[in-house]
Amino acid sequence: MQALTIALFLGIVATASACASMAAPGTTVTTVTTSVTTVSADEESSGLLTANERSLIRKTWDQAKKDGDVAPQVLFRFIKAHPEYQKKFSKFADVPQSELLTNGNFLAQAYTILAGLNVVIQSLSSQELLANQLNVLGGAHQPRGVTPVMFEEFGVIVEQVLEEELGNGFSAEARQAWKHGIHALVAGVSKTLKNPEDLADPQTKLSLHQIRDVQRSWENIRNSRNAMVSSIFVKLFKETPRVQKHFAKFSSVAVDSLAGHAEYEKQVALVADRLDTIIAAMDDKLQLLGNIYYMKYTHAERGISRDTFEDFGRLLLDVLGANGVSSDDLDSWKGVLAVFVNGVAPKK
């Protein structure tokens, strides 16, 4: 049931339905209104936890929450253990840790989490209600870049605080009940959350997942890169003859006669190798951005339009598909190509 705890963490603020009015000494009073929906369910067949586990969770939580310091301690320890997550809370993102326990916004967040946790725990007997709440919770946090791992880490902190607060009252059986609950809740929330590798880097706009897909699929076909680039150029020149005019050394050569032309083959090799270099360095943020800026600078001087880059990307996707690249990997290629096109030739 750690998951309960967790589920509430980074966002019960957004989940709605919470009922609690609590205040910490010397701080602003925060009132959270809770509306708990009562749903009857067979205590023995919720599919989430046994009746005994649910009872243990409720009992230990009811005991622990009597101490008004529990909620602030849980959130404080979570941030102390994972300081990088403090930035997720805009209202106290830059407050020094030493001042958090007396900061009104921090305490408001802590008690909101407590209120939300109460709602989740009261909903344990209804699999349907709990599933709906987890969907809402996951959906609210997905845009913020929250990952299942963060919820798991929060659950660990909750378990530690409960053990310290309850002492012998937090039995091995109760601990196991919380573990089962947390595991189930994290699994439910994870359906609507992104994994870390799916989160786009704020600067490059690419996710690690996209980069890996592109690099892996390219490695399988890179030995044919010259032939692929040549086929793209031929199709591009036939579709849009004016594009060939950008290449002075073979601008007047008939498209069907380009193969074997020395200058054309040099250009094909140059583009193919540059493409290979860029893909190989995609997981290095500085090199990736550097390559984009370099291409933007060099191609702007030649007056190459955004349409040309878009057409090249479209034809590249066709070639990749013809060479066996899977549809899932092609989706990653589409995302990567969009980033490159927007970087090299921004929309005006």
Side-chain angles (χ1 to χ4, degrees), residues 217-273:
S217 57
W218 178 253
E219 186 61 29
N220 293 332
I221 59 176
R222 62 183 295 274
N223 289 336
S224 302
R225 60 187 182 277
N226 283 29
M228 289 190 291
V229 170
S230 181
S231 68
I232 291 172
F233 272 144
V234 169
K235 292 179 181 177
L236 183 60
F237 295 163
K238 286 185 176 181
E239 285 184 1
T240 314
R242 60 181 172 76
V243 175
Q244 188 176 344
K245 302 301 179 182
H246 290 295
F247 303 94
K249 294 182 178 180
F250 54 85
S251 61
S252 299
V253 177
V255 175
D256 291 332
S257 300
L258 285 172
H261 188 282
E263 294 300 331
Y264 171 74
E265 296 297 347
K266 286 182 182 179
Q267 183 64 41
V268 166
L270 175 64
V271 173
D273 288 344

Side-chain angles (χ1 to χ4, degrees), residues 204-206 210 214 282 292 306 309-310 313-314 316-317 330-347:
T204 65
K205 308 303 180 185
L206 295 177
Q210 289 175 307
V214 168
M282 280 175 58
I292 290 176
R306 178 185 173 89
F309 286 105
E310 290 178 335
R314 170 176 54 79
L316 174 58
L317 289 172
L330 284 177
D331 285 339
S332 291
W333 274 92
K334 290 176 184 177
V336 169
L337 289 172
V339 168
F340 270 93
V341 171
N342 288 332
V344 175
K347 291 182 178 180

Side-chain angles (χ1 to χ4, degrees), residues 34-169:
T34 298
S35 174
V36 180
T37 303
T38 300
V39 178
S40 61
D42 182 350
E43 286 290 317
E44 296 299 333
S45 61
S46 73
L48 174 63
L49 298 166
T50 66
N52 185 55
E53 287 174 326
R54 294 194 296 274
S55 177
L56 285 169
I57 289 169
R58 293 185 182 114
K59 180 180 179 180
T60 51
W61 182 245
D62 285 344
Q63 292 173 340
K65 71 180 182 181
K66 292 178 182 178
D67 184 345
D69 290 334
V70 167
Q73 279 299 321
V74 169
L75 184 55
F76 177 73
R77 292 192 189 190
F78 176 73
I79 290 176
K80 188 174 182 180
H82 308 283
E84 67 275 17
Y85 296 159
Q86 186 173 345
K87 296 298 182 183
K88 297 288 183 183
F89 302 94
S90 60
K91 292 185 178 180
F92 54 88
D94 299 316
V95 175
Q97 282 190 9
S98 60
E99 300 176 13
L100 285 176
L101 288 172
T102 57
N103 180 272
N105 288 322
F106 170 85
L107 292 169
Q109 179 68 54
Y111 290 118
T112 299
I113 290 173
L114 175 65
L117 185 53
N118 284 332
V119 174
V120 174
I121 291 176
Q122 292 177 40
S123 304
L124 283 178
S125 296
S126 171
Q127 188 174 4
E128 181 180 0
L129 178 58
L130 187 58
N132 288 338
Q133 290 179 337
L134 294 181
N135 286 334
V136 172
L137 183 62
H141 289 88
Q142 197 259 16
R144 306 178 196 176
V146 177
T147 67
V149 172
M150 295 178 189
F151 280 95
E152 291 173 356
E153 293 167 339
F154 189 78
V156 171
I157 300 297
V158 171
E159 186 179 314
Q160 293 172 355
V161 172
L162 288 174
E163 182 177 20
E164 293 178 15
E165 181 68 26
L166 301 177
N168 293 334

Side-chain angles (χ1 to χ4, degrees), residues 21 33 166 185 213 219 324:
S21 182
T33 301
L166 301 177
L185 286 172
D213 283 350
E219 186 61 29

